Structures are given as structure tokens and as C-alpha cells.
Amino acid sequence: MKKIFLCILASLLFISVHAQGLPSDGPLTVRPLLQQLGERLLNGKTGSVVAIKPATGEIICLVTNSPTGFNVDLAIAKPYAPGSTFKTAQALVMLTEGSITPDMTIDCSEGFTDGNIHVGCHKHRSPLALVDAIAISCNTWFLTTFASMLNDKFMYETPSEAITAWNAHMRSMGLGGPLGVDIAGEKGGLLANVNYLNRRYPKGWDGKTIMWAGMGQGDITLTPLQLCNLATVIANRGFYYPPHIHQATESRPLAQRYLTPRQSTIAADAFPIVVEGMRQAVLKGTATSINTADYPICGKTGTVENSGADHSAFIGFAPMNNPQIAIAVFIEHGGWGADMAAPIGGLIIEEYLKGKLSTQSEARAKRIAQSKTK
């Protein structure tokens, strides 16, 4: 009787998953309990939750919500500025290119100022080296170093050469173009290259012109799926499998492209530094609200400036040294990344790794489910 009940329950959950608007032509890789939790947490909000199993590229959670209900385009086809979540990718590329070192320190007095340009930064100790710059999410650190990389005449003959190298590394992590997910309608986003920049800035450009991309604003947009893939690359320390949502069956095996890992061009010794920065973000930085003694989470929050209230973003993975889940959460007009996206990400991670939420986490989930964004 128990087996029959479990089979019926599994069938109902399977039907529920398909009813959400996901592909219905065969069994899916998503976990119904994660889907259900994601739906609860996105109540009254517009946004996406995407989670991937790093070792395989399986999409284990894909939930979206909008004023009209489920809309998969929010996760795979709507480009957003990634905000400070992108600082992880920036650090990986600049470490690989040798334009920064882990011990390099940058001063920050509550923001970056150059002439009439001022970009604020929250109060923190100064100067900072890279790990703490990631953990605390220092805007000045990444604006300064990215502009310096593009204007470095010793390493590159021109800013065009520098941006070409930057673009190639980013694309090797699956950023800037469709990943090839097996869901119709995927789109890429914006990853600045020489041709784009020459068209956008016909009077000329240099590092200072486009330095905003250093902090995930300006000439850079990504989809939540791409952000989750970035978390996957970092979790795997350099590679990813193209994300997919269909399970392999005897009659419908997976295409070879989903079984072949894609190696990034990022230097191997760059990953431990960025991983440590993301770990410190959870231990003492912007994502301390999701710290737990049960398993080490690595994460990076993002607060994305736009018209209206800021968007709330988060990427992360867990456990730190044996990653079972990588996740991206993006909530339109959700405010600080630490306030909305990170707690949602932490709850999804807990549900997956522990099988259920603790009493305290369940109370948090209820509070989030009751909160609404404009």
C-alpha cells in the first residue's frame, strides 16, 4: 500500500511540474519539492530561481513568476545587468590575465570618485585585498581594476586587445550567448566586444568609458540561467556541462553535447581565490544570513541598479568542496541582494541538501512567501 501511495504521489508531482509551463515531452530533471518551494518563495514577486547539479548539468529547479504567472523567458531569455554577482567572473578573468594579484589592495573611501564621477560603496574597512573585496562586494575595487586592465599599455597594445581577451574568457564560461539548453526560446544577453563598443561609442572609448561592467552594470547583461551556469563553473573549478532539463531515457538518450564537459580558459589557480571570497561572503560578508553549520555555502550577492527599486540577485553553490547544487536567484525590484535573493537561495539549497527545511527556515520561508515586490 505504501509503495502504491508513493507512486501516486510521484505521478501527481510529475503532473504538477509539467503544469507549471515547463516542457512536457518526456520526464524532466527538476525536483518537484524544489519546484514547490520555489513557487512558494516567488509568490507576489517577479523573478526566477534556477538550480543546476554541477556534476551533470541537470537543471534541478527552474521556477519563475510574473504578474501573469509562470514565464520561462524570465529565466532563459530575459537579459538583466548581473550587478555584483558578476564580480566573481571579473576576478577570475583578471587573475587569469595577470592584471591583478590576490594580495593587491585598493583603497575605498565609501565609493569611487574620478572628477565628476562618483559611485557609492557601503562603509567597510580599507584597503582591501581580493578575497575581502569579493566578500564585502567593494565597487571601488572592481571599477578601478577593470579600468586599469583595459588601459594597461604594457600588457595590451590597445583597449581593443584587452576587451577581446576579456570577452573570450567570459564566453568560455558560457556567458554572452545561448548555452544551448533544451528549452525553446533561449537568448543570450550582452557581452561587450570591439565591434559593439565602436558602434556604441563612435567618438572612442577606453577603460574608464566602460568600467561599469567591472561591477556588473553598463555594457553587460546576462540571463538567470547564465548566472547559474557561472556558479556551476566556479563550483566545478573550471568546467560545466551544458544545462539540460530532459532526463535521458532508453528511447530518448541525451544528445552528446550535454554529456561533453566544456572547459573554461580560466587559470586553475584563480578558482580557489574566488571560491574563498564567496565563502567569506557567507561567513562575514554580504551573505551572512544564509550561513549554516550543516554545510559550507559559497555565495555572492548582487544589488542591480535600474529604473525603480533595485533588483535583488544571488549566485552560490554548496557544499564548498563537494558541490551538489549551484543556484541563481533574480528578483525584480527585490532590493538588496542580501535581503531577498540570498535568503531564497539559501532555502532552496537547504531543501535539496537536507531534504526538508528546519523549523527556523520554514518560518523564514513563510515570511518570504508573504512579502511582495512592486
Side-chain angles (χ1 to χ4, degrees):
M1 181 65 69
K2 183 178 180 180
K3 288 184 178 180
I4 294 174
F5 172 77
L6 291 175
C7 288
I8 293 172
L9 177 60
S11 298
L12 291 173
L13 291 176
F14 180 80
I15 293 170
S16 174
V17 166
H18 289 299
Q20 295 163 3
L22 294 173
S24 57
D25 52 339
L28 304 182
T29 58
V30 294
R31 307 308 197 258
L33 292 179
L34 296 188
Q35 294 292 108
Q36 292 174 346
L37 177 58
E39 286 184 337
R40 284 178 57 200
L41 298 174
L42 290 187
N43 177 60
K45 308 166 189 67
T46 297
S48 307
V49 176
V50 184
I52 290 173
K53 188 174 181 181
T56 63
E58 291 175 291
I59 296 174
I60 54 178
C61 183
L62 198 165
V63 178
T64 73
N65 193 41
S66 74
T68 58
F70 182 89
N71 181 359
V72 73
D73 285 352
L74 290 176
I76 70 169
K78 185 170 182 179
Y80 300 94
S84 293
T85 61
F86 191 62
K87 291 171 181 173
T88 57
Q90 284 289 98
L92 290 170
V93 171
M94 292 189 293
L95 284 166
T96 298
E97 285 293 288
S99 60
I100 62 172
T101 64
D103 298 328
M104 179 186 295
T105 59
I106 302 290
D107 289 307
C108 175
S109 299
E110 297 184 38
F112 171 87
T113 300
D114 187 344
N116 62 354
I117 298 173
H118 178 76
V119 180
C121 194
H122 51 278
K123 286 186 178 182
H124 57 73
R125 63 183 179 81
S126 181
L128 296 176
L130 177 56
V131 166
D132 284 341
I134 294 172
I136 296 173
S137 200
C138 177
N139 290 335
T140 303
W141 211 100
F142 288 92
L143 288 171
T144 301
T145 53
F146 185 49
S148 296
M149 173 188 168
L150 298 184
N151 288 339
D152 190 335
K153 295 181 179 178
F154 177 77
M155 291 186 65
Y156 312 99
E157 291 187 6
T158 63
S160 293
E161 182 182 335
I163 202 69
T164 298
W166 175 87
N167 184 285
H169 287 305
M170 292 294 178
R171 288 191 178 278
S172 79
M173 292 187 282
L175 307 178
L179 286 159
V181 67
D182 52 348
I183 305 173
E186 184 191 9
K187 295 181 181 178
L190 170 65
L191 187 66
N193 60 23
V194 173
N195 290 336
Y196 164 83
L197 292 171
N198 288 343
R199 292 194 305 270
R200 177 161 170 74
Y201 305 104
K203 295 182 179 180
W205 56 274
D206 61 11
K208 188 183 294 187
T209 312
I210 61 170
M211 64 182 179
W212 319 105
M215 54 182 271
Q217 301 275 171
D219 300 295
I220 173 72
T221 61
L222 304 172
T223 64
L225 178 64
Q226 289 176 333
L227 283 175
C228 190
N229 199 70
L230 171 60
T232 297
V233 172
I234 300 171
N236 286 335
R237 278 59 164 182
F239 70 91
Y240 70 94
Y241 287 88
H244 58 277
I245 200 167
H246 287 95
Q247 286 186 13
T249 63
E250 186 174 339
S251 61
R252 182 178 174 174
L254 282 178
Q256 188 61 39
R257 67 179 181 275
Y258 298 119
L259 302 173
T260 305
R262 299 189 182 182
Q263 187 69 41
S264 73
T265 58
I266 301 300
D269 58 4
F271 286 100
I273 300 160
V274 172
V275 168
E276 181 61 24
M278 295 175 71
R279 179 63 185 142
Q280 291 302 315
V282 175
L283 289 175
K284 65 178 186 180
T286 60
T288 54
S289 67
I290 64 170
N291 189 30
T292 174
D294 292 338
Y295 42 83
I297 303 175
C298 297
K300 182 72 192 77
T301 59
T303 304
V304 183
E305 297 177 6
N306 64 98
S307 58
D310 293 336
H311 297 330
S312 180
F314 172 79
I315 64 171
F317 61 89
M320 177 178 178
N321 292 320
N322 182 28
Q324 302 299 308
I325 180 172
I327 191 166
V329 180
F330 202 100
I331 308 298
E332 294 187 14
H333 310 299
W336 293 94
D339 291 342
M340 182 70 74
I344 290 174
L347 291 169
I348 296 291
I349 290 172
E350 179 179 345
E351 179 76 34
Y352 185 64
L353 295 181
K354 303 291 287 186
K356 64 178 182 178
L357 299 182
S358 68
T359 301
Q360 182 179 1
S361 294
E362 180 58 38
R364 170 178 279 190
K366 288 181 179 178
R367 290 195 299 271
I368 292 174
Q370 291 168 357
S371 66
K372 301 182 184 300
T373 59
K374 295 182 179 180

